[in-house]
């Protein structure tokens, strides 16, 4: 029922800002107890949680990235977005948006993912 779709440029220059948008259908990003995350997985490495939009309007970030991460939402479009500034080639990864209920042990819904390459 819930579908998520990532969109944004697949190539970003080093030191610039990576911007992605997740478009949600089948549920509202303001539904009580819902939690909407950005997750990335570099080649050959484990997934890394970047941050999330909480249904009530709060935002949460991985401490290792929070200084240069910003998550926002547009409730009229049922979208939430990621901005990651000062990217380096280490930011090259498959970027996913995903959703779960706040007390769920796992993410129940995932986007297909979008490959982002940070060029030198």
């Amino acid at each position: 029922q819930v579908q998520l779709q990532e969109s944004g440029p697949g190539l970003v220059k080093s030191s610039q800002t990576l911007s992605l948008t997740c478009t949600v259908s089948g549920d509202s990003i303001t539904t009580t107890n819902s939690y909407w995350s950005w997750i990335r997985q570099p080649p050959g490495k484990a997934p890394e949680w970047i941050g999330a939009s909480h249904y009530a309007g709060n935002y949460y970030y991985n401490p290792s990235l929070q200084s240069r991460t910003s998550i926002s939402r547009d409730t009229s479009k049922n979208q939430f977005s990621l901005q990651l500034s000062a990217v380096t080639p280490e930011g090259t990864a498959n970027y996913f948006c995903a959703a779960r209920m706040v007390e769920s042990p796992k993410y129940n819904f995932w986007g297909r993912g979008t490959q982002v390459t940070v060029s030198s």
Side-chain angles (χ1 to χ4, degrees), residues 28-86:
S28 171
I29 60 174
T30 64
T31 292
T32 299
N33 291 335
S34 64
Y35 189 76
W36 308 85
S37 288
W38 285 102
I39 298 160
R40 69 179 182 181
Q41 186 167 24
K45 296 184 178 180
E48 179 182 35
W49 177 72
I50 301 168
S53 173
H54 183 268
Y55 74 98
N58 306 108
Y59 302 100
Y60 302 93
Y61 302 98
N62 186 330
S64 69
L65 298 170
Q66 66 181 4
S67 66
R68 55 192 183 95
T69 305
S70 180
I71 293 173
S72 59
R73 70 180 187 179
D74 185 338
T75 57
S76 69
K77 297 180 179 179
N78 210 34
Q79 296 176 329
F80 64 104
S81 298
L82 168 70
Q83 291 190 307
L84 180 63
S85 66

Side-chain angles (χ1 to χ4, degrees), residues 3 10 27 49 52 55 62 74 81 92 95 101 115:
Q3 295 184 333
D27 195 15
W49 177 72
Y55 74 98
N62 186 330
D74 185 338
S81 298
T92 294
Y95 285 74
M101 306 307 288
Q115 179 65 38

